[in-house]
Amino acid sequence: MNSAPVISLRNITKQFHLTETASLPGGVFTALDKVSLDVQQGECLVIGGANGSGKSLLMNIIAGLTKPTSGEITVTDDVGLVFQDADSQILGETPREDIAVGPLNQKLSKQEVCKRVATALQSVDLDAKADFPARTLSGGEKRRLAAAGILAMHTSIFLFDEPYANLDYDGVRQVNALVASLKQQQKTIVILTHELEKCLGFATRFIVLYHGRIVFDGTPEKGLAENLETWSIRHPLRTYATLEDLIWI
């Protein structure tokens, strides 16, 4: 890995002004509270946290979709997002057309666009469905399609927001095959999820976000030694035996 981080956050805070109540004096809700972290090139970072912990908000700030109230953020490359709602990312009628949207916006030649689309389709194993109606794909296939669009733009940083939401077992396996492929290509991967049992085995690093704060940052092995229930996360080793079991394949 490179010594310089590809993502650097320093004291990222995000506050919202709401109606003042007894439980919210001043009417200020702090959704993220002085979050600092560095992500290295090629790292596979899993950020765990219960719903409402600030995961999606943190992802949007990293991607530049939301501005923090305070703090500094540096990202050295374009960031590709795979949203929880995969349908919201579909812009083309077919996978082939959808993947071409990004490269076309980059003003690439028609020949280069076709080349990148073909390569991306093959990379996510969707070439057999290249000309199917995109919205008829399964949930797992739609997330792979979103990743293919990112690959076609030669983006090296991938953010996955709750990638297993509403997927059956086969869909989870499809997403994990994609993550394994991206790891092999040495892409930088950040997975934000509360379903640790499905993916923690991929992680080179594990962070827990709780009420907008980082409460753990270390190896997956050390994280599994913590009482994760304290942070409203179901401990995956209550069901599975070892870290190596925490990948659904």
Side-chain angles (χ1 to χ4, degrees):
M1 294 183 183
N2 297 330
S3 57
V6 294
I7 300 171
S8 181
L9 307 180
R10 290 291 174 270
N11 296 315
I12 296 297
T13 296
K14 182 65 177 180
Q15 294 179 323
F16 297 93
H17 292 273
L18 307 173
T19 302
E20 183 172 0
T21 64
S23 61
L24 192 66
V28 176
F29 173 66
T30 301
L32 291 174
D33 190 3
K34 297 181 180 178
V35 172
S36 295
L37 64 93
D38 289 332
V39 182
Q40 303 293 330
Q41 172 63 42
E43 194 167 12
C44 183
L45 170 62
V46 171
I47 300 179
N51 292 334
S53 62
K55 300 189 305 296
S56 294
L57 180 58
L58 181 63
M59 183 195 76
N60 287 335
I61 288 175
I62 294 173
L65 300 179
T66 301
K67 292 184 178 181
T69 304
S70 61
E72 298 179 359
I73 177 168
T74 302
V75 181
T76 64
D77 196 358
D78 291 335
V79 174
L81 303 180
V82 179
F83 289 104
Q84 180 176 339
D85 179 12
D87 283 281
S88 67
Q89 291 187 260
I90 296 176
L91 300 176
E93 293 296 322
T94 66
R96 190 186 307 278
E97 292 177 3
D98 189 72
I99 295 168
V101 170
L104 287 171
N105 285 337
Q106 291 177 319
K107 309 298 182 183
L108 301 176
S109 68
K110 183 177 179 180
Q111 182 180 8
E112 179 65 16
V113 170
C114 290
K115 178 182 176 181
R116 290 195 184 191
V117 169
T119 300
L121 282 165
Q122 188 174 27
S123 294
V124 301
D125 197 24
L126 282 178
D127 36 355
K129 295 189 175 182
D131 298 305
F132 278 45
R135 294 192 180 277
T136 66
L137 298 178
S138 69
E141 289 170 340
K142 287 174 181 175
R143 285 176 172 83
R144 285 155 53 200
L145 175 58
I150 299 167
L151 285 167
M153 292 187 289
H154 287 185
T155 302
S156 63
I157 302 173
F158 286 71
L159 302 184
F160 290 84
D161 183 26
E162 295 289 359
Y164 308 108
N166 304 314
L167 294 186
D168 59 14
Y169 179 69
D170 186 57
V172 173
R173 291 177 64 247
Q174 290 180 35
V175 171
N176 280 348
L178 169 63
V179 173
S181 175
L182 294 175
K183 278 195 70 175
Q184 190 173 28
Q185 297 173 56
Q186 297 185 320
K187 302 292 187 181
T188 304
I189 305 165
V190 181
I191 302 173
L192 302 102
T193 183
H194 68 279
E195 299 181 83
L196 300 178
E197 69 278 4
K198 298 175 181 176
C199 66
L200 190 58
F202 282 124
T204 56
R205 180 177 168 201
F206 176 43
I207 283 176
V208 177
L209 199 63
Y210 183 65
H211 292 323
R213 293 183 177 183
I214 292 177
V215 292
F216 175 84
D217 184 351
T219 65
E221 292 85 355
K222 289 183 178 179
L224 290 173
E226 298 284 342
N227 182 7
L228 298 178
E229 281 87 357
T230 301
W231 303 314
S232 302
I233 301 174
R234 183 167 59 88
H235 201 299
L237 294 188
R238 300 287 182 264
T239 305
Y240 298 89
T242 67
L243 175 62
E244 289 71 25
D245 295 325
L246 304 183
I247 302 177
W248 285 22
I249 55 175

